[in-house]
Amino acid sequence: MSEYDDVCVLLPTMNEAETVARVVEDFRDAGFEEVLVIDGGSTDETQSIAREAGARVVEQSGRGKGQAVREAVRDHVDASYVLMADADATYDAADADAMLEPLLAGDADHVIGNRFADMRPGAMTRLNQIGNRLINVAFRAIHREGYRDILSGYRAFTRESFLRLHLTADGFGIETEMAVECVKNRVSVAVVPITYRERPGGSATNLHPVRDGGVIFLELYRKAKTNNPLFYFGSAGVASTAAGAAMGAFVLYRYLAFGISHEVIAVGAVGAVILGIQLLVFGVLADMIHSLHREQIERYERAVDAGTTGRPSETGGRDAGEDRGSEGHGPDSTPHEEAGEADD
């Protein structure tokens, strides 16, 4: 038996005929018997080549990498652990041991491979590197966690922890959404250095930097609504207040310098400032409610853990016998003495 019998290697594909055989063979040579290729309806020979290389191939019912990953883990994976990679030969199967080690040791439920630790020349364009850095900075600012490379496609996770995440993204936003949901659901995350290589010649990327980058930024901001409401509403409030202040300054300048009044712009400026202040206040209130909600969840989880392990609860409550004793019957009283007192 292999040490990886309970691990499934998951490879989402879309027109990866040039590289999929190499990737499947590398993982199988590394000791992984279960390699699942979930294909998005490739128009080349991806599916047949993957089968010949020894992979189990299924075609996804929808479209997009996010939908493929969700469907694969939910419907086609029985293993307890999932090692997810791209089929473009940019990730190294030799890093699989390091990726799985935190899971198998019980130190984490989700592992992210950090591509920036060993990025080979030509692996990522300068534009993509800048975009990745900005997205990671934005993630750290919004969600208060530094995962270093939230867009990495090399992941390892327990199937149970994945099913706890509320994932809806269909495209390349799936990695971002997984990172956000790990923060939201307090899934323990480890970051592991990996090697990231240039795509082999002849293989084309399915990533569109500007379009997909915009989708990722929108996903980060949208998820802040439930994970960091102060940022979500506060940033809109600051923008509205700043716009109102700028319009007000313009109206004041025109009036003082030229005696020209701009009533409509002035009304708009006042409205923008009022809206901005309201959004700021709402953000503060929403953040307070969010903090209280988290505290209640933590108390509930501690109570459940105490009940499971048999530890006394943190409320310091007395046991049933002490409660009965406090109702007027001393600890040394007996039923006969109580009956005698009743006869008197």
Side-chain angles (χ1 to χ4, degrees), residues 10-13 64-70 84-88 90-91 99 110-113 115 132 135-136 139 143 147-157 162 165-183 189 196 206-207 212-213 215-217 219-220 223:
L10 175 60
L11 303 174
T13 60
K65 181 179 181 180
Q67 193 277 336
V69 173
R70 294 198 309 274
M84 185 179 83
D86 293 335
D88 56 5
T90 54
Y91 297 114
M99 292 289 294
H110 192 103
V111 180
I112 299 174
R115 298 170 296 174
N132 271 261
I135 289 171
N136 281 286
F139 177 84
H143 299 286
Y147 291 158
R148 301 182 189 176
D149 188 11
I150 67 167
L151 301 185
S152 174
Y154 209 2
R155 305 286 181 112
F157 45 84
F162 182 89
L165 309 181
H166 180 65
L167 303 173
T168 59
D170 287 334
F172 285 97
I174 183 65
E175 289 91 356
T176 304
E177 193 176 37
M178 289 170 71
V180 173
E181 285 292 308
C182 282
V183 175
V189 175
Y196 189 59
N206 296 314
L207 180 67
D212 292 319
V215 169
I216 290 168
F217 271 113
E219 185 66 24
L220 278 176
K223 287 290 186 179

Side-chain angles (χ1 to χ4, degrees), residues 88-104:
D88 56 5
T90 54
Y91 297 114
D92 198 337
D95 291 325
D97 284 340
M99 292 289 294
L100 289 167
E101 183 178 353
L103 298 185
L104 300 178

Side-chain angles (χ1 to χ4, degrees), residues 45-67:
E45 302 300 318
T46 296
Q47 295 189 24
S48 59
I49 292 175
R51 286 193 185 93
E52 291 173 2
R56 177 165 61 100
V57 179
V58 295
E59 184 167 334
Q60 69 185 96
S61 60
R63 288 290 180 269
K65 181 179 181 180
Q67 193 277 336

Side-chain angles (χ1 to χ4, degrees), residues 212-271:
D212 292 319
V215 169
I216 290 168
F217 271 113
L218 288 176
E219 185 66 24
L220 278 176
Y221 184 74
R222 184 176 69 87
K223 287 290 186 179
K225 178 171 58 177
T226 54
N227 201 41
N228 189 354
L230 181 58
F231 177 87
Y232 181 82
F233 295 104
S235 58
V238 168
S240 181
T241 302
M247 289 190 293
F250 171 78
V251 171
L252 184 61
Y253 168 75
R254 294 281 290 179
Y255 180 76
L256 294 177
F258 307 104
I260 302 174
S261 60
H262 295 274
E263 290 84 359
V264 175
I265 298 178
V267 171
V270 173

Side-chain angles (χ1 to χ4, degrees), residues 126-146:
R126 179 64 62 179
L127 175 63
N128 284 347
Q129 289 189 44
I130 294 173
N132 271 261
R133 297 289 189 186
L134 289 175
I135 289 171
N136 281 286
V137 169
F139 177 84
R140 185 164 55 249
I142 295 172
H143 299 286
R144 304 164 186 168
E145 287 285 354

